[in-house]
Amino acid sequence: VSRFIQLSLELVDHKLIEEVFHQLLMKENPALVSAYYEIWRRHEEFTKLTTKQEKQALQYILKNFEHLGFSRRLHACRALFDPNSPIFTRLTKIPFSSNRTLQNKMMIEVTEKIVNDKESWTPHETISFILGMGKHRLNNSCKILLSHISENHPNLEMKTLRYLIPVLGLLPKYVVDSFTPSQEMIKTLLSEVKFDRESDVELTLSLRKIGYILPKHVTRKMCKKMATSKLDSFSPSINARIFSNLVKENMIDRSLADYYQRYLTKNSAKMNLQDLTDFSWGFAKLRVHEREVFKVIEKAIMKKYADLNFRDIPSFLYAFSIVGKGSEDFYSIMEAKLDENIIKMTPKDVCNCIHAFSKIKSPRSKEILLCLSDKVASDLELFNSHELVNVLFSFSRHRIDAPELIQRLSDRAFDLLPKMSKSEVRDLRTALKFQGREGSKLFAETALRLGQLT
């Protein structure tokens, strides 16, 4: 049946496929799982199933999951979890469940069945499910499966380990910590890395992300490959991540920076917003080629401004404010997008925006800072000590007319003072000086805290 569906899709015979799928549903034939998978794997070329058909298919998967054959269980899980599958994209927009209640229920129940049946999956199959579950923040299930791999498969094959490491890079640290490969395994893995494929680079970047600091000889090897014309053979996304990580490792010299500047100028049109973010932050830190680089990045952003989201805006604003670049049109677009997205921003995002607009010479800077102050007031308990001090510093320095909020920020800073680092305490003292509050109790406590830290 699966092959028949594939052939029908190639013939684009929609009516025939709909009739076959209807018959499979009526008879509750297990083949409908594979048929459903094949249809939505090619969903862009296919007439949509009816809401009723889709609902019946998903309910069948949920009801009969443990009775399906192995390959059909894989198809069912891919349909539910695989973030790269068009089926997943489709599932997130099911019309019969606008609040996604049924889909979430199915994911949780199928996840429980996968976890309970973990003994029957190979490490490679388990990793596939971890990847899908991680995309849906089903982190506790990922942790159980990772622990199971660690305990029962201590000597993973190298090809499986290569597949697993980039998956770990997508998960929170407390989940990743449940997987403990030996240092010997990691050394063996790195010894095979030649940087002649994208997967080699992806692997090393993911290792760094999950806490394995790369040995200097590995990082130098990566630099050498990048500097000897490997750039054009990799995708823009990989190159952006390489550049960002090499900047963090302080491994970019002037000749490599020149090379990346030429690459960015040539390929900026092919880059997505995340790639442009990586390049803007990297060059803002390097402080080289500022004029040429930020002109190219601004032009690329302006073409994609409709896609800007609440994550991109703070990143670009912060990077551009560091180097003091950006046209009036650029900041106007950013301000408009900020108004649309401010409600979704995290404390870190808000903090970056406040830092940026406290440095940008824009007619609306004070107005936007006041708007951001409302967001700070509503989410104050979510701000950590670093974010809190940065906000208080910016507001105090620029004399923002929000006395009640500044008092609340000061009170909160008093509570968080025992957790603050030396640099945070110094910034807090400077903020209090801007306010003219050198005689306050908080100012006296900061001096005691500095003494303890010293």
Side-chain angles (χ1 to χ4, degrees):
V1 172
S2 180
R3 185 63 189 138
F4 175 79
I5 291 284
Q6 287 178 25
L7 289 168
S8 301
L9 282 165
E10 286 162 19
L11 295 167
V12 201
D13 194 337
H14 298 163
K15 287 184 179 178
L16 183 59
I17 296 169
E18 286 171 351
E19 179 57 30
V20 171
F21 196 77
H22 175 69
Q23 292 296 330
L24 292 172
L25 276 173
M26 293 297 290
K27 296 178 181 181
E28 292 200 343
N29 187 319
L32 76 87
V33 177
S34 298
Y36 184 75
Y37 175 73
E38 291 299 337
I39 288 169
W40 287 115
R41 196 159 64 91
R42 301 270 296 277
H43 81 296
E44 290 175 358
E45 307 158 37
F46 185 67
T47 308
K48 291 179 181 177
L49 296 175
T50 65
T51 298
K52 185 177 179 182
Q53 285 177 323
E54 192 159 29
K55 188 171 184 177
Q56 285 176 312
L58 293 173
Q59 286 174 332
Y60 177 87
I61 291 172
L62 180 59
K63 181 180 174 184
N64 298 283
F65 183 78
E66 62 265 40
H67 304 303
L68 297 174
F70 184 77
S71 63
R72 284 181 182 142
R73 277 196 289 176
L74 275 176
H75 280 160
C77 288
R78 282 176 187 154
L80 284 166
F81 293 122
D82 187 352
N84 300 314
S85 167
I87 304 166
F88 165 73
T89 308
R90 175 69 186 135
L91 277 168
T92 60
K93 298 172 183 173
I94 294 173
F96 68 78
S97 179
S98 57
N99 62 3
R100 293 169 62 182
T101 304
L102 178 63
Q103 187 203 350
N104 289 338
K105 180 188 173 192
M106 288 183 66
M107 283 186 177
I108 290 166
E109 291 197 25
V110 171
T111 299
E112 286 174 0
K113 289 171 181 175
I114 290 170
V115 170
N116 293 338
D117 200 25
K118 56 183 178 286
E119 303 291 340
S120 67
W121 304 104
T122 67
H124 200 79
E125 289 153 359
T126 305
I127 293 163
S128 296
F129 297 140
I130 290 169
L131 174 60
M133 292 172 189
K135 288 285 184 181
H136 293 282
R137 306 289 190 271
L138 297 166
N139 293 325
N140 287 334
S141 298
C142 293
K143 187 171 182 178
I144 292 168
L145 294 177
L146 273 174
S147 298
H148 175 71
I149 292 175
S150 280
E151 291 163 14
N152 297 281
H153 304 281
N155 299 310
L156 288 175
E157 292 180 20
M158 282 299 119
K159 66 176 183 181
T160 305
L161 192 61
R162 285 184 72 102
Y163 178 44
L164 175 59
I165 298 298
V167 173
L168 295 179
L170 303 171
L171 299 171
K173 189 174 186 305
Y174 81 93
V175 176
V176 173
D177 287 345
S178 58
F179 178 70
T180 51
S182 66
Q183 289 295 325
E184 210 55 47
M185 282 175 71
I186 298 296
K187 281 182 183 175
T188 304
L189 192 65
L190 287 173
S191 69
E192 296 179 1
V193 171
K194 297 183 176 64
F195 296 108
D196 55 351
R197 298 177 296 180
E198 276 199 19
S199 57
D200 287 347
V201 179
E202 188 72 48
L203 181 76
T204 52
L205 296 181
S206 298
L207 274 171
R208 188 186 184 285
K209 189 173 179 182
I210 64 175
Y212 289 95
I213 303 303
L214 298 182
K216 285 290 181 188
H217 73 275
V218 174
T219 313
R220 286 196 188 96
K221 199 193 296 185
M222 185 156 68
C223 282
K224 189 176 178 183
K225 283 286 182 183
M226 296 310 100
T228 52
S229 74
K230 283 306 287 185
L231 284 176
D232 290 332
S233 64
F234 294 147
S235 67
S237 293
I238 285 287
N239 278 318
R241 288 184 59 208
I242 293 167
F243 174 70
S244 174
N245 278 272
L246 291 179
V247 171
K248 288 174 190 171
E249 298 273 6
N250 294 318
M251 297 295 287
I252 296 271
D253 59 17
R254 184 62 192 234
S255 62
L256 202 50
D258 293 346
Y259 200 40
Y260 272 109
Q261 184 260 325
R262 291 194 295 273
Y263 177 83
L264 174 65
T265 303
K266 182 181 173 184
N267 295 281
S268 60
K270 302 174 190 173
M271 294 181 185
N272 60 37
L273 288 166
Q274 182 57 54
D275 304 337
L276 294 168
T277 299
D278 288 337
F279 274 109
S280 63
W281 274 74
F283 276 105
K285 187 171 181 181
L286 290 174
R287 302 302 294 264
V288 295
H289 297 300
E290 295 167 23
R291 190 167 176 275
E292 308 96 310
V293 163
F294 282 86
K295 195 172 180 181
V296 168
I297 293 173
E298 180 183 323
K299 187 178 177 181
I301 293 169
M302 298 289 264
K303 288 179 180 177
K304 297 177 173 67
Y305 78 92
D307 299 325
L308 283 167
N309 62 34
F310 69 99
R311 292 273 184 236
D312 305 321
I313 298 160
S315 300
F316 287 127
L317 282 171
Y318 191 85
F320 274 74
S321 68
I322 288 174
V323 295
K325 302 297 177 186
S327 66
E328 285 186 20
D329 289 343
F330 172 76
Y331 286 117
S332 296
I333 283 174
M334 285 293 174
E335 289 162 13
K337 282 289 182 180
L338 181 62
D339 291 339
E340 291 174 24
N341 290 275
I342 190 169
I343 195 167
K344 302 173 190 172
M345 290 185 177
T346 65
K348 184 179 178 182
D349 299 331
V350 173
C351 191
N352 284 339
C353 288
I354 288 171
H355 180 276
F357 278 104
S358 66
K359 298 184 80 173
I360 294 165
K361 293 175 181 177
S362 164
R364 284 193 65 211
S365 281
K366 285 214 169 184
E367 181 189 335
I368 289 167
L369 286 171
L370 278 172
C371 182
L372 288 164
S373 73
D374 293 337
K375 177 67 174 170
V376 173
S378 66
D379 294 348
L380 186 58
E381 296 301 315
L382 303 176
F383 281 70
N384 62 32
S385 58
H386 180 72
E387 293 156 354
L388 188 86
V389 169
N390 280 349
V391 170
L392 190 57
F393 183 90
S394 294
F395 281 1
S396 302
R397 184 180 183 182
H398 293 275
R399 307 279 192 265
I400 298 302
D401 187 20
E404 288 183 17
L405 175 60
I406 287 176
Q407 184 57 51
R408 283 185 63 199
L409 287 166
S410 300
D411 293 342
R412 180 74 178 142
F414 188 87
D415 295 337
L416 295 175
L417 189 59
K419 299 177 182 177
M420 288 186 190
S421 66
K422 189 185 287 188
S423 62
E424 288 167 359
V425 176
R426 284 175 176 161
D427 286 344
L428 177 57
R429 286 173 65 82
T430 306
L432 292 170
K433 286 178 183 177
F434 285 137
Q435 296 173 34
R437 295 181 58 197
E438 289 94 327
S440 67
K441 183 181 177 182
L442 178 56
F443 193 82
E445 289 292 328
T446 57
L448 290 173
R449 176 65 180 153
L450 267 182
Q452 291 170 355
L453 291 167
T454 305

